[in-house]
């Protein structure tokens, strides 16, 4: 019983956390319940039931299957479902005496679902096409009143689908486009957080007083950027279905977001390589460290600031003109660092081995500055 | 008409390519057609139709929705569907006079689908639970013979689901586990291809005779490894449903594959950083290059060979004992490289700036050797 209580408490706290992480999840659940109650009226309200009968079942089914988290996903699924039902219904009716054909058409459509572009946008539509086509062509073999049946089914599906779409747009809408927009900005901010973090900017300082172990978990924030590709792509696919809302037009350049996302990820790969080096010890002598330190700090801080400005610009959809100075400051610092490494002062220290980690770190940072510049170019 | 012809030809060649890339896609499509023809018997064969009537529709629907590409996915969906229907049916029958409850339960179940662990394995089951529960609790309001209806529906769903599972296992099965197994090995081989490629191993050589531009596209092979995470995870989820087959037991350590996959990806991030440097020009003097070159080539080649051995070991599920010597050779070369960098010979060349790219490349390669060692540890 004690273990059971502990389990219950753990589950409850997990549930609470899930709801707090994204309160829209609760809203979404309530919206689904609302839509279901609405289409249940087909059963409970006598005049409606007289009209549609058991076909009302299809409205309930459509709601359960079509209602997705974001508006774009719901709209995409709803439109796919409606069009596919219509098309497959027409084709099925036309060919319902050719019952042997149904297996072939279903197999062909199944294969068509493997086309990457079709998979991304019309996968669900094809599924419903296969479903409806099979159902109608086999039912046609038995059912005399197939036309009426088809009409009833189609109209209930349309009603179910449109109630999903209406509720998902009107009641606290969750826009996939907005999510994508925020995700892209957030990812840039995560990289900025890393670059601006004291244990990175003062890498060459803290080595003197070795207390740099706090905030390590904070530094892991960028890791989620590394694997954001599939998430971004599905959001962009959903966003393409969405009508204009807020600051977004119908033909918002969603591909632009994917480009920025890809560049951000490339920058994150470099940061991951850099992060691996930051955890190892510095072997360079203090005098070298203090020499590099200034340029290094400037580069890291300025490219971090630049990314933050760019993220702000993306968020507010304004031209982030203040990002340019940061990037040029970072580039000047990079040049200075290169000069420093070149200068004869170094020759006094013949031990190249000791310098290697510092040089590697510095040159990875130069890479990061270049990546940041690319991101800035694609945003501007 | 000319443009149309071109379009048709293009589509045809695309289709052919899609089929040739993975012939199992064609097999899958035919299998779906087969399963559909099989359950259509419910309509065409009189005694069966007398028994089930329109409920036969549910068998067709189940086949369309449940039949997935791999055995694991089909089994997972089929089991989820059967169990969820059973459970929701029982609950719906018990509560069918409490019609008001249905909205609440549907909303709660919708929320439960957000739990990450449940989403991974039971998402579809919960969808069907909501669907069946809603359908039964609203139908219950109207239908007197609800028990018989529920029995017929459940049995047709079971027949539809089991015919999917049986066909997908017996007719040229496509195992998700095998796919995962091959994907992990293939990813390692892709990294090995990169490390063993002449334009990488002879980086310091080719700089003399600047004809290193061919095979660049070949070098891009590793890029697909960077984004393989979601693919690996879904395959592992499907694989968990699969019964023992070939060399795989039911409780095959699929998590081990995910661990190896993560480490491989980390190594790929380093390779991506390295690849960025390889494209830039070398500024170091020839005599330096020739000094580094030998150790560099050994490191790259040996870690490539090690990865290839490990991949072979994973493929054949044998202990890749021959991988160990390669990794130690690579480590010895890394040590030698470090010593070279330390040696006084370098002092003659005071221009540190010219050495930086070489040092960076070398130390990224040392990173890669370390990553390879980690992969080797996790495989062995």
């Amino acid at each position: 019983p004690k273990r059971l209580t502990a389990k219950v408490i753990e589950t409850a706290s997990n549930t609470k956390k899930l709801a707090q992480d994204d309160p829209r999840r609760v809203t979404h659940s309530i919206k689904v319940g609302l839509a279901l109650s609405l289409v249940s009226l087909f059963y409970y309200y006598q005049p409606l039931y007289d009209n549609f009968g058991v076909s009302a079942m299809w409205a309930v089914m459509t709601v359960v299957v079509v209602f997705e988290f974001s508006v774009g996903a719901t709209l995409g699924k709803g439109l796919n479902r409606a069009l596919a039902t219509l098309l497959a219904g027409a084709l099925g009716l036309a060919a319902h005496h050719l019952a042997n054909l149904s297996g072939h058409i279903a197999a062909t459509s199944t294969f068509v679902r493997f086309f990457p572009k079709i998979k991304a946008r019309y996968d669900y539509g094809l599924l419903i096409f296969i479903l409806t086509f099979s159902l109608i062509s086999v039912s046609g073999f038995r059912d005399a009143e197939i036309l009426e049946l088809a009409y009833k089914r189609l109209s209930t599906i349309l009603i179910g689908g449109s109630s999903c779409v209406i509720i998902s747009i009107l009641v606290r809408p969750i826009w996939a486009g907005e999510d994508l927009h925020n995700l892209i900005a957030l990812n840039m901010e995560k990289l900025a957080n890393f670059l601006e973090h004291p244990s990175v900017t003062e890498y060459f300082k803290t080595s003197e007083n070795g207390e740099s172990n706090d905030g390590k978990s904070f530094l892991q924030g960028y890791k989620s950027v590394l694997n954001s590709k599939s998430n971004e792509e599905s959001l962009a696919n959903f966003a393409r279905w969405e009508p204009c809302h807020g600051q977004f037009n119908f033909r918002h350049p969603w591909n632009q977001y994917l480009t920025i996302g890809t560049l951000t990820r490339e920058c994150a790969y470099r940061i991951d390589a850099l992060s691996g080096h930051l955890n190892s010890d510095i072997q360079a002598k203090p005098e070298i460290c203090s020499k590099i330190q200034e340029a290094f700090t400037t580069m890291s801080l300025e490219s971090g600031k630049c990314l933050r400005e760019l993220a702000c610009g993306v968020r507010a959809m304004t031209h982030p003109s203040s990002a340019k100075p940061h990037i040029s400051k970072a580039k000047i610092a990079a040049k200075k660092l290169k000069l420093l490494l070149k200068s004869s002062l170094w020759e006094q220290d013949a031990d190249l081995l000791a310098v290697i980690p510092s040089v590697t770190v510095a040159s990875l940072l130069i890479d990061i500055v270049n990546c940041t510049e690319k991101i800035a170019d694609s945003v501007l």
Side-chain angles (χ1 to χ4, degrees), chain A residues 322-343:
Chain A
S322 48
K324 271 262 165 81
H326 289 302
I327 197 86
S328 40
K329 267 186 214 163
K331 282 175 82 180
I332 291 170
K335 240 178 225 164
K336 218 163 107 192
L337 185 61
K338 280 184 193 170
L339 278 176
L340 259 178
L341 295 177
K342 198 177 188 176
S343 73

Side-chain angles (χ1 to χ4, degrees), chain A residues 300-335:
Chain A
S300 175
L301 257 184
E302 292 297 331
S303 46
K305 274 182 193 161
C306 170
L307 278 172
R308 200 175 293 281
E309 290 289 341
L310 290 174
C312 284
V314 168
R315 258 190 218 282
M317 285 205 206
T318 55
H319 196 85
S321 50
S322 48
K324 271 262 165 81
H326 289 302
I327 197 86
S328 40
K329 267 186 214 163
K331 282 175 82 180
I332 291 170
K335 240 178 225 164

